[in-house]
Amino acid sequence: MKQSRSQRALGRLLPTLVLIASAIFFAFPLLAMARFAFQNLQVIDLGWNNLFEKWSFSSITASFSDDFFAEALTLSLKLAVGTALFTLGLLIPTAVWVHLRLPKARVFVEFLTILPYVIPAIALVAGIVVVKPHARWFLNSDYSLIPFYVVLALPFTYRSIDTGLRAIDLKVLVEASRSLGSTWIATLFRVVIPNLRAAIISSTFLTVAVVLGEYTISDVLLKRTFPSFMAQYRQSDPRGGYALAILALLGTTLLFVAIGVLSKSRSTRPQQVSRSQENEILV
Amino acid sequence: MTSLSFTGIRKTFGTTVALESFDLALQPGELVSLLGPSGCGKTTALRIAAGFEIPDTGVVSLGESVITDTPAHRRNMGMVFQSYSLFPNLTVAQNVDFGLRNRKVEKAKRNSRVGEMLELVQLGELGKRYPHQLSGGQQQRVALARALAVQPEVLLLDEPLSALDAKVRSTLRDEIRRIQTELKTTTLFVTHDQDEALAISDRIGVMSNGRLEQLGTPEDVYLRPASPFVARFVGSINELPNSNGVGKILMRPEDITISENENELTMRGTVTRVTFQGPVTIISVRVDINDQLVNVHAASGSIHVQVGDRVSLAVTPGRGIVEAA
């Protein structure tokens, strides 16, 4: 009995230890990066004794005043919005159609959407290089990045929408809407989309995270997006570059926290009325 | 003049024939139930009426108009589904209002209609609640109000009670019949529950393997089944040997009595089980003639037998249906 109690205690302790070890594993490099970016000390002088000394935001404020900072950030934000809209416009009708009319094709579509995750972005870049001479009119525009970002974000965004659709009784809701006189478009906007709120929020944030982190394609196409700017800025001012990286990381983390909070607020609805309560109400 | 009618409908899904030579015409204001086991085609017929399936051949009409290829949203039919189909993002009142908004009814009229409908299903106080705050029975009432709000030409009910427990089911069943009679809405009701169909319908269509086996009043279907399948599917049945030795006679348990006399028309047997079911007691007797088990329904308290008793069974003449061998 004693042994089983100690085993249970170990069972409870072990996950906590793993969690702490993982936290340390992730936190230490970030802490080191933050010290490098925000402490006005020579790298060689950084030690435990001066952990709390000479912290300053000067490196990041200097990067804000760079001529290209606002331009790059604005472009990336515009691209994020464009990519999110394009993704939702493409994915929601497609996923709804697959769920309703081609349920057997779901596995195939899932496989297709995971390809960008399996095939590295550099392969997509190789493809772009081949078609570049024939599609300059398109690739010259900054917004030509949007279709590429849509593809890159697909493994995350499709899963998010797909999960949202699985969580509702799509077929019945669509048929109920149709029987009440709604066209397909009205059904999509009045029934499907409002009930995919959490999935759409999560898909949008994931898209934004992908756009704010993608470097390879924008660099090949010579677009000055925020990640490209960060990479270039790091070459001239390494501390400022890493400070920007931390800022981007913080932004992405906040997006994921927001996904968690918003998804949770959907799932913490009051419980369905129980059968016994129902009998009291109705009989 | 008929309301909804199906003529010569055939519908297949791959190699499976869901409906074959299906003909049915509903009179205005009547409630017709389609009753049958799973996979008999009853839901397919309902979905064809709603416009969710298009038949391979045949014609669906609504009054004088052919609606075989009319899209679902232009059919003016109200439908209540088996599973809860309220829109989770809308309140009860907004759900009931949904179809009225689609029809661009002006706001004042819509509000008054929503109120009327919620009163009709006795949920007038719950307009501001969301579906997840309602019980299953309440959700189906709202679904009924929503379907009726648009004043549909035909109300389609796809096993709307099957997700509810027995007590709520029976209350809501009576409620549906009351409302349907009050509004005189032509209704097609799909169910696999014979008690439900017998209790609620003006006529019942019993279906098997995609075909309509019998269409008649509940009394017709129960007392005068057109085929052995109908006799077996609706109510309980005993299979007795035919006196000429060919085939069987199918008899309802209430058409067999335990007789004190013994003659050439009675069968002898041994009581194997006595099941008290409130007003009725089911007495199971293993008859000597073919060693089959025969169930007899007797008013509780009218007969006192015990397991092992030897008894004689008498059949009510003219009430059986002969099944050829």
Side-chain angles (χ1 to χ4, degrees), chain A residues 45 58 73 111 133 138 149 161 194 209 241-242:
Chain A
D45 296 333
S58 60
L73 186 62
F111 170 75
F138 171 66
Y149 288 169
I161 299 291
Y242 280 104

Side-chain angles (χ1 to χ4, degrees), chain A residues 175 179 182 190 272 275 278, chain B residues 47 77 102 137 139 163:
Chain A
E175 288 182 352
S179 76
S182 304
R190 289 185 63 197
Q272 181 95 16
R275 282 274 166 95
E278 184 171 4
Chain B
R47 291 177 60 78
M77 294 195 185
N102 279 335
Q139 289 199 43

Side-chain angles (χ1 to χ4, degrees), chain A residues 16-275:
Chain A
T16 314
L17 288 175
V18 171
L19 200 66
I20 292 170
S22 311
I24 291 171
F25 181 79
F26 283 107
F28 262 81
L30 287 176
L31 182 67
M33 192 158 93
R35 292 193 71 184
F36 173 70
F38 296 115
Q39 267 191 297
N40 279 333
L41 290 167
Q42 293 293 320
V43 177
I44 200 160
D45 296 333
L46 290 172
W48 288 110
N49 57 333
N50 52 15
L51 184 60
F52 301 105
E53 287 173 18
K54 294 190 176 177
W55 284 79
S56 143
F57 288 112
S58 60
S59 56
I60 202 158
T61 46
S63 71
F64 290 165
S65 57
D66 188 283
D67 291 346
F68 296 111
F69 172 80
E71 188 191 314
L73 186 62
T74 311
L75 175 62
S76 277
L77 290 176
K78 281 182 186 171
L79 287 171
V81 172
T83 308
L85 290 177
F86 197 106
T87 301
L88 294 175
L90 182 76
L91 272 191
I92 293 176
T94 309
V96 167
W97 195 254
V98 170
H99 271 255
L100 289 178
R101 295 291 162 93
L102 301 165
K104 285 182 186 163
R106 223 150 68 181
V107 177
F108 176 68
V109 175
E110 266 183 37
F111 170 75
L112 276 186
T113 59
I114 212 163
L115 281 181
Y117 198 65
V118 178
I119 301 167
I122 196 73
L124 196 59
V125 167
I128 298 168
V129 170
V130 174
V131 296
K132 203 172 176 180
H134 310 289
R136 282 195 194 284
W137 57 272
F138 171 66
L139 295 170
N140 280 347
S141 163
D142 286 342
Y143 301 107
S144 62
L145 287 172
I146 289 177
F148 301 113
Y149 288 169
V150 169
V151 171
L152 286 183
L154 264 184
F156 315 108
T157 50
Y158 180 81
R159 244 139 228 86
S160 172
I161 299 291
D162 187 56
T163 308
L165 287 173
R166 280 171 203 248
I168 57 174
D169 197 343
L170 181 70
K171 188 166 176 259
V172 168
L173 292 183
V174 167
E175 288 182 352
S177 168
R178 302 267 298 142
S179 76
L180 289 163
S182 304
T183 59
W184 275 107
I185 300 284
T187 299
L188 203 61
F189 280 96
R190 289 185 63 197
V191 175
V192 179
I193 291 175
N195 286 300
L196 285 181
R197 197 187 70 145
I200 289 171
I201 290 169
S202 128
S203 163
T204 304
F205 286 178
L206 288 164
T207 308
V208 172
V210 166
V211 173
L212 291 181
E214 202 288 326
Y215 165 74
T216 321
I217 297 175
S218 60
D219 192 57
V220 169
L221 291 177
L222 305 175
K223 310 295 182 200
R224 201 185 285 271
T225 60
F226 188 65
S228 298
F229 169 76
M230 275 200 306
Q232 282 166 15
Y233 190 80
R234 196 156 49 224
Q235 286 167 8
S236 60
D237 175 7
R239 289 185 59 228
Y242 280 104
L244 284 174
I246 289 175
L247 190 71
L249 194 68
L250 200 68
T252 313
T253 308
L254 286 177
L255 283 181
F256 284 105
V257 170
I259 292 177
V261 171
L262 291 169
S263 308
K264 205 176 171 187
S265 72
R266 284 288 283 187
S267 62
T268 49
R269 287 171 151 183
Q271 289 297 301
Q272 181 95 16
V273 178
S274 72
R275 282 274 166 95

Side-chain angles (χ1 to χ4, degrees), chain B residues 100-162:
Chain B
L100 298 169
R101 275 188 69 181
N102 279 335
R103 284 161 177 76
K104 301 196 169 35
V105 177
E106 63 183 71
K107 196 159 194 275
K109 279 188 186 167
R110 273 169 32 208
N111 288 344
S112 109
R113 182 81 183 147
V114 168
E116 263 173 49
M117 286 297 109
L118 289 178
E119 287 301 328
L120 187 70
V121 296
Q122 298 175 7
L123 293 175
E125 305 297 307
L126 304 185
K128 288 182 179 164
R129 290 211 189 160
Y130 281 90
H132 68 268
Q133 296 169 315
L134 303 180
S135 67
Q138 287 172 326
Q139 289 199 43
Q140 289 303 66
R141 281 164 184 253
V142 178
L144 183 64
R146 182 179 69 176
L148 289 169
V150 295
Q151 293 175 301
E153 289 185 60
V154 178
L155 177 64
L156 305 171
L157 305 174
D158 184 10
E159 306 208 28
L161 309 174
S162 61

Side-chain angles (χ1 to χ4, degrees), chain B residues 42-53:
Chain B
K42 57 190 190 296
T43 297
T44 304
L46 188 97
R47 291 177 60 78
I48 285 174
F52 299 137
E53 304 289 351

